[in-house]
Amino acid sequence: MMASSYNAKDEDGHITVSGPGGATLRSKKPENTAFKQQRLPAWQPILTAGTVLPAFFIIGLIFIPIGIGLYVTSNNIKEFEIDYTGVDMSSPCFNCSQNYSWNSTKPCTCTIPFHLDQPYESNVFMYYGLSNFYQNHRRYVKSRDDSQLNGAAGSLTEPSKECEPYAYHESKPIAPCGAIANSMFNDTLELFYNDPNGTKIQIPLNKTGIAWFTDKHVKFRNPGGNNPNLTAVFQGTTKPVNWRRPVYELDTDPENNGFINEDFIVWMRTAALPTFRKLYRIIHRKNSMVPTLPRGNYTLEVVYNYPVRSFEGSKRVILSTISWMGGKNPFLGIAYITVGSVCFFLGVVLLIIHHKYGNRNNNADISN
Amino acid sequence: MARQGEDAGISKVPKSKRQKKKKSKENKTRTVHANMLYDCAKGEENPNRLYANNKIKTTKYTVLSFLPKNLFEQFHRFANVYFVFIALLNFVPVVNAFQPELALAPVVFILSVTAIKDLWEDYRRHRSDKEINHMDCLVYSRVERRYVEKYWKEVRVGDFIRLRCNEILPADVLLLSSSDPDRLCHIETATLDGETNLKQRQVVRSFFDLDCDFDPLKYNSIIECEKPNNDLNRFRGYIIHRSGRRDALYKENLLLRGCTIRNTEEAVGIVIYAGHETKAMLNNNGPRYKRSKLERQMNVDVFWCVIILLVMCLFAAVGHGLWMFQYGDKRPVFDVLSPEGTDLSPVMSAIYLFLTMIIVFQVLIPISLFVSIEIVKICQVYFIHQDMDLYDEETDSHLQCRALNITEDLGQMQYIFSDKTGTLTENKMVFRRCTVAGVEYSHDANAKRIAMYQEMDSEEEECTSHGGTLPRRDSVTSHQSARVVLRSQSTKSHRRTGSRAEAKRASILSKHTAFSSPMEKDITPDPQLVDKVNECSSQMDFMRFHSQPMSQLPSDLSDIIDFLIALTICNTVVVSSPNQPRHKVRMRFELKSPVKTIEDFIKRFTPSRLTSGSNSSSSSSLITNRSSNKGCSSLLSSPSAESTLTKLHEEQPSGDVRHAFSPVPPCFAGKASWNLEEGELRYEAESPDEAALVYAARAYKCSLVGRLPDQVTVELPHLGKLNFELLHTLGFDSTRKRMSVVVRHPLTDQITVYTKGADSVIMDLIRPPDTGNSKGKRQKKIVCRTQNYLNLYAADGLRTLCIAKKILSKEEYACWLQRHLEAETAIQGREELLFESALRLETNLQLLGATGIEDRLQDGVPETIASLRKAGLQIWVLTGDKQETAVNIAYACKLLDPEEEILTLNADSQEACALLLEESLHYIQAKFLCNSTDQAAKAFHPNFVPFEIYSSSSPSSSSSSHTSPFLVHRLGLVIDGRTLAYALDKSLEDKFLAVARSCRSVLCCRSTPLQKSMVVKLVRNKLKVMTLAIGDGANDVSMIQVADVGVGISGQEGMQAVMASDFALPRFRYLQKLLLVHGHWCYSRLANMILYFFYKNAMFVTLIFWYQFYCGFSGSAMIDQWYLIFFNLMFSAFPQLITGTLDKDVSGETLQQLPQLYVNGQNSEEYKPYMFWMNMIDAFYQSLICFFIPYFTYADSEVDLFTWGTPITTLTLFTILLHLGIETKTWTWMNWLSITFSIVLFFTVALCYNASCPTCYSPSNPYWTMQRLLQDPLFYLLCIITPVAALLPRYLYRACQGTLFPSPVQMGSQLDKLPADTRRNILSLSGVKLGSPLNPFLSHRKPSPRACNKKDNQGPILQTEEDKGQQRPLGPIDSEKSLSGLYTPAPSEIDTLPYTKDAASLSMEPQPPLTKNLEGLDKTSEPSDLSLSSWITSTPLLTQADCVQLNLPPDTASQCVKYTRNSEERLKPEPTIYPAQRTEHVAEQSLHTVL
């Protein structure tokens, strides 16, 4: 009876107290636990000049050496950059750059001589760089079909809607579809070493190993399984509008052809910023005795296909060695040094503050 | 809620609803037939079938309706609509930014979390409904011809229900029969209104005469009554019998659902309203939703966020337009055409982009903020619930949070409006002293006894229970043994009988017997009065024996006996025996109803009856107890046995009693035996003072032994039991402020009116004594003296009541009765007529005496008020009590300081009031003006002793010398109800406020509930401050509802206040912890969390904004959309919830010891408007760092979009978490855990996500990104430097602020770091650490009236007096002097307030030179303490100080009594207060040493 009367009370009164804690007949006394009484053991850091001092000094002392290390590493990287856009009248590629069209049938070639002051000892990475090219444009980034690139047969013939308006051309599905593929970089770059004795030696450029391993082996796959006859596989599709050759003619090596062509894969990884570089070739070091690229004169031969002048872009070729931290970029080292020194400086300032003002509290503590 | 349920119920039967509607148009009544007639198979014809059945359903949803209904409700919240809109926007291909399905996720998540919460609550309601619906009751079944058990839900309107004792009523039932011989049924309405006294309900009159069992089969009447309504105190209707006779029905006939039957064996009734139509259910309103101040502020900033969002979107849109424009017609390859291949103009794409950006930046409006706040608040409520300090063992109740969403308002209160009775005081009335016929009986022994209770209070905790009073709910069989317990106890441990622990336990055990703790019950009689009573009664006995007329009794003796009789019978106290079931003790001789008709009157008052009937019966002391079983089974067997017992004890010589009571502590012997005989009786009173008076009279052996509707039985010494024929009871009402009973005196056979009421009204009704004869002179003397004593009582803080009588001649009575009966039978305006009738009767009274009842302060009230005041809260007390009582209670609870000046506003008219306010205003301004000049002059006092900081280590020596400088003269305002009514007028309210706000405390006396709420409303609206109203009774409900936060005391006076409140406390003193600790925590936690939320979202979103500059404003995001969407919801959600729930900036102990820290919340220190912008700027800075460090690191590299975005996300997460770390003041393992969890969760999710599918998640397609990044040293280097660089400024700022200008809260937390005993020392001794920030605040709030007096031109005396004061050593002074001056009884004039003093008495206050001089120093220190100026300016007092006015010397107007009190309380030290004061004082000094 009693229980029911309690319930009746609860109900009729409708004291809707949510939150747990509706013990009915037991004493309603709350439990004396540290959690419920909000007495959990706790660390209470108090931010005063005195307490944060060590943190500043420690940060300073750690960051500055790291920064120096990074800076030195970055400086040891050799990098050489040639702009071959051909904006200048004097530029060898000026003529070629006047062609704004994607589909000019006549290849335009220009030759750019350059001189390396220092020998490049280790492996040299050859990049092409574009600037003012907004590969990160929202609609551009989306304009691809990953399952088509992964070799899904259905997507090959029926590209995803994301590829619109580069999904069909003359009512044939485009392979690879989408704007990214459509705008693939199609200049051909060749490097010659001008031997002091006058001969022009072509430097062998390695075109594999430039893409992510996972991209090459997992993300990108040719349709039709391991069918080596890519022509047959891509039957019924058409090449992207801006391309000169269909996708199965990108390379002669079947391991580097079709969707798994590494130049293609590299291009498909859209750059984060409008000025970017992409790995083009790798010049492997033959042996430890000879530098990969000895100092001397070189010639860069460009088959100039890719129009950038329409959007005020520029094209570059970069030759660079790399270190454990990637390409040449002194910024991070400078940043570490700066932050480290600022911290150190602030540490000193805080020390002064602490000595001048922090004592009045402590004195009071001590006096008691 | 109830209504909704009802709707749901109705919607099931749409047809009936329609019919009902039609019907309700036709007539506004409900007709109830007995279901009996329609029982079998004729259900269709039953007119009752249309009424709601008794099944209740308080749930909001059904299984089917849950989803639509819940969604509909959730979409009432604008934010939800907004987010759904954005999610839907994503489905438009042109503008979509994310995968549409993904974009729905957060909205769906948020909606479902809320839905689950609602579902759970609804399920709980469902369960409780089910339980209620399946309770049993007895319903008459026609088939079986008996009462059968049925579930509550099966009860229908028109059913006959049999109710047994202690059963709960399942529905609203019209009482048709009761086993009670008087046809009464007692119910307890605690569940409805919390009132624990028994209420009588009467059987419908036409069934009154039925003997024995009511037979439902014979019933064939029809009941017409009102439609269901929620007015508990109204029920009108009539019953039509077969014969065509109509009988009216009143609320006295209706038993309400939820009440409990008490004292009645059995009752039968017919169900009138069932289920949701019962009055109890109609009265249920769901919990209230208020919007807290913080939330209002937050909404403003949400609005700002929207503006920022729009600006950012607009900026991006314009940028995109320009970007497009620069290319002209030559469309670059990367600018993809729309899917249709059409070209978009720059303007169009800008417009589309605007929408896209809204989607991308949607995170800026924190979607999870609202849900997080709700979660945090629920946790906060949980913790408040769990606080042991807010649990009251005595009542086994803890704090209830009834409003879930205003916890943080508790930390921002500025004004407290408190009720007095029951809130500050216990509402346990203890009879203290009385005056009869102009002679005072001081009851010193009683006072000592009460003092003893208080002393014992401390030691009684370990005492084990001796059974207390009788266990109530025992079964009948254990009744005997229970009594044995009582006996043994009363003989054994008298000391403990009196202890308050016992009282506590007793009150737990007998929750339902209100107002009966031993302290209230056991009154030690005044020996003088005992003598007189004995003399008187023996004389009466003698006279009766010799059949002399009673009127020959000496008038002073007859007055005494009349006085006691009046105390005993002039009330509505019901007598019951404590046994189970609670039987009425009936000593019944004749079955008579109150005079109802003239014939009745004539019949009864024939001479023959006057001589024979009642006299003979009353003179017989051997009572034949008619248990009046009337054939019904009854357990009324004990009373007869008891009465003989009583009789035996009565024969003890009275001298015994007198002897027993003379010395104090061992005096309980006499009473013990007394307890035995009378202890069986319980008094159930509607108000505690009634009970107190009855108990007081009982102490003189004039005890109430029985009350019936028509008769009161009183037992008098020597005379035995007397039956007073109760002719009328004119109940108490707040307008008349008195109640009367009309009885026929059994000894004199006169018709006597006994009136009891407030002295102010009774004194006006006293018959003007005609000074011609000696009797008249005596009367006048009595009146004067009594008035004197009344004033004295009031000054002591006692509640005073006057007792008066009037003897009516039969003719007068007949004349009055004629009109009274007319009034009673009137149909229209009956209330007014009855009121007038009462007014006619209560005239020309003869004053008998007055009583003083003490309403004791609750524990810890003075300390609580002191500390709340130190917390910067203005405390106003609004009470219905008279001014003198209120003022004295205010002194007792330290609301008014004896050292402070008091402005008293009593005005008779609007004009007078205006004048008064004007003068007060001038006075105050004058004070403030000269105060400041004086300060400047005395800036450097030579007596200043800086080294005192360290000398003050011993508490005993320092306490005396250090308190006086702190006691600064502030103002108190006392205003009475009438003046308040004028002051609240539109024309005066501004002035009133101006005066009131410059007073430290305000006391409104004699205020009505409406005035209370008007005052609160006025202050709240005009001053724009946060108000808290606290009260316990029904009269505080309106005030509680008006205030920002309403607090109810779940005390003795019922549940209405609790029902209306947002928080319900068991005791007033818990307010301290609730506000100072929980309020502060809740506020600072939520404020910090909200700010953090804004920061977090802004920081995250602006990252994308910066990116727009590098992606042609195309709305692209480098952060994977999954991260973007789940970042707030998952990765960064938990730590902030933990911090928002658990963070403590200062420990609870320190917060309570340093109430000043509360100012933090009052001034919204944690969340000021500029802080939002500071946070935004910080967010912008941090996002700049978080964006550009990776930007430059990866500039001109081969990095791809999402391989670059992922480190940014990661380091942003780190930054955000570390930011929270900087803001977290208290790190428990939960904080560590949550942060670790967040990071681990992020990496786990990222790794799984990046490994799951090589072709999915277009466009980012982040396959193996994170895995690759984890191998990249650059990633780690980035993740280290960026958070450091981003948080550097904030960290530095916090560190510098902590050292250079720490806020008081930070000081408090520094104190926390110290070991406990050191901290205690610091807090109690010096408080040096808190010196600088706290003290300017404190000292600047003190005006110095001392200085003003000089300029007030109040005469040369002042000047000299003041000089004296200066020469006097510091310390508490001259209390003796004032005491003697205060209480010089001046019996000449009634209206004189004897304690009123003229303005010159101001000068008697001590002069604190140190204070002033400290103030001056504080002034000089002010500029250096810039952080504090904001503190100071926002306190209401200072604004007042700013307005400089020419100083008109205040004219001590006739209406305005300005007086100052030098406290008599100063004699007793208040050890609890001193340390705190000392703290501040020393702290103040420390400031100067520092500077």
Side-chain angles (χ1 to χ4, degrees), chain B residues 177-190:
Chain B
S177 154
S178 164
S179 62
D180 187 287
D182 304 317
R183 296 299 176 217
L184 289 177
C185 174
H186 290 92
I187 56 168
E188 189 184 274
T189 54

Side-chain angles (χ1 to χ4, degrees), chain A residues 105-329:
Chain A
T105 43
K106 184 168 57 109
C108 174
T109 314
C110 48
T111 309
I112 303 144
F114 66 95
H115 177 77
L116 284 182
D117 296 330
Q118 287 172 312
Y120 282 47
E121 303 288 345
S122 57
N123 288 348
V124 176
F125 290 73
M126 183 175 177
Y127 300 89
Y128 61 89
L130 295 176
S131 57
N132 259 343
F133 191 98
Y134 288 85
Q135 247 203 330
N136 52 15
H137 190 284
R138 181 170 58 91
R139 288 201 298 275
Y140 183 84
V141 170
K142 284 197 296 188
S143 188
R144 61 192 284 164
D145 184 348
D146 283 311
S147 53
Q148 191 193 43
L149 298 173
N150 198 34
S155 299
L156 186 70
T157 47
E158 276 177 45
S160 133
K161 267 181 68 184
E162 299 287 350
C163 287
E164 298 279 359
Y166 302 103
Y168 292 94
H169 184 61
E170 290 161 351
S171 69
K172 271 186 176 175
I174 299 176
C177 73
I180 310 178
N182 191 44
S183 60
M184 186 178 149
F185 183 77
N186 55 3
D187 284 358
T188 315
L189 306 169
E190 283 179 326
L191 200 58
F192 296 93
Y193 175 60
N194 298 339
D195 215 336
N197 50 30
T199 51
K200 224 170 146 186
I201 306 161
Q202 184 169 14
I203 293 167
L205 302 175
N206 213 328
K207 56 174 132 181
T208 52
I210 57 173
W212 287 22
F213 180 84
T214 48
D215 284 2
K216 170 109 181 168
H217 295 97
V218 182
K219 252 167 104 170
F220 289 80
R221 273 197 213 131
N222 278 323
N226 291 329
N227 190 346
N229 185 1
L230 287 179
T231 323
V233 168
F234 284 100
Q235 192 72 48
T237 63
T238 182
K239 68 176 173 64
V241 187
N242 290 349
W243 284 22
R244 303 188 179 178
R245 289 168 297 184
V247 69
Y248 45 87
E249 286 173 19
L250 285 175
D251 202 359
T252 48
D253 178 9
E255 284 303 305
N256 196 26
N257 200 6
F259 289 155
I260 56 171
N261 176 274
E262 293 201 20
D263 283 332
F264 175 66
I265 293 173
V266 165
W267 180 257
M268 291 306 283
R269 200 161 262 283
T270 51
L273 297 166
T275 300
F276 60 91
R277 57 175 77 170
K278 282 184 184 292
L279 191 54
Y280 185 64
R281 296 290 182 262
I282 300 173
I283 308 162
H284 284 292
R285 188 174 186 179
K286 288 182 205 83
N287 55 50
S288 51
M289 302 308 290
V290 189
T292 325
L293 293 179
R295 98 188 246 279
N297 289 322
Y298 291 82
T299 311
L300 180 70
E301 279 196 15
V302 183
V303 181
Y304 197 111
N305 294 323
Y306 204 71
V308 291
R309 296 291 311 279
S310 62
F311 50 84
E312 307 291 322
S314 67
K315 300 195 282 192
R316 295 161 297 156
V317 170
I318 303 116
L319 294 170
S320 167
T321 59
I322 63 164
S323 68
W324 56 270
M325 53 165 283
K328 186 180 182 102
N329 190 345

Side-chain angles (χ1 to χ4, degrees), chain B residues 36 136-150 155 158-164 167 173-178 212-219 266-271:
Chain B
M36 255 345 81
D136 288 327
C137 66
L138 287 174
V139 178
Y140 193 81
S141 152
R142 180 167 136 146
V143 185
E144 297 182 47
R145 308 240 156 182
R146 63 181 181 89
Y147 290 94
V148 292
E149 291 240 318
K150 274 192 175 181
V155 173
D159 278 346
F160 291 100
I161 291 188
R162 187 157 79 179
L163 301 149
R164 289 156 301 185
E167 256 185 14
V173 169
L174 190 71
L175 186 63
L176 296 178
S177 154
S178 164
C212 202
D213 258 343
F214 166 83
D215 187 1
L217 287 174
K218 290 180 191 154
Y219 174 91
E266 216 173 62
V268 175
I270 182 167
V271 176

Side-chain angles (χ1 to χ4, degrees), chain B residues 1126-1142:
Chain B
F1126 290 111
F1127 191 85
N1128 272 317
L1129 241 42
M1130 286 165 63
F1131 305 137
S1132 61
F1134 296 102
Q1136 77 198 356
L1137 285 183
I1138 295 290
T1139 306
T1141 313
L1142 291 178

Side-chain angles (χ1 to χ4, degrees), chain B residues 389-459:
Chain B
D389 296 343
L390 301 183
Y391 168 78
D392 188 36
E393 205 127 11
E394 194 173 323
T395 52
D396 188 33
S397 59
H398 50 76
L399 177 136
Q400 294 175 28
C401 293
R402 297 173 48 81
L404 302 179
N405 48 355
I406 53 168
T407 45
E408 71 274 18
D409 266 353
L410 291 174
Q412 297 197 277
M413 285 301 136
Q414 286 157 304
Y415 277 72
I416 291 180
F417 296 89
S418 174
D419 174 41
K420 186 180 75 66
T421 314
T423 307
L424 302 177
T425 60
E426 299 235 30
N427 206 10
K428 280 187 184 154
M429 302 297 170
V430 183
F431 178 83
R432 282 296 296 272
R433 50 215 303 203
C434 65
T435 164
V436 185
V439 183
E440 218 261 313
Y441 302 99
S442 60
H443 289 75
D444 292 328
N446 195 34
K448 282 181 201 156
R449 179 185 62 89
I450 290 162
M452 201 177 65
Y453 282 133
Q454 284 158 342
E455 279 166 35
M456 272 179 197
D457 205 17
S458 51
E459 52 178 274

Side-chain angles (χ1 to χ4, degrees), chain A residues 59 62-63 66 336 339, chain B residues 1211 1214 1218 1273-1286:
Chain A
I59 290 173
I62 292 174
F63 273 27
I66 292 179
Y336 263 90
V339 172
Chain B
L1211 54 87
F1214 284 144
L1218 280 173
L1274 218 54
F1275 174 72
Y1276 298 100
L1277 286 171
L1278 270 180
C1279 286
I1280 291 169
I1281 188 173
T1282 319
V1284 169

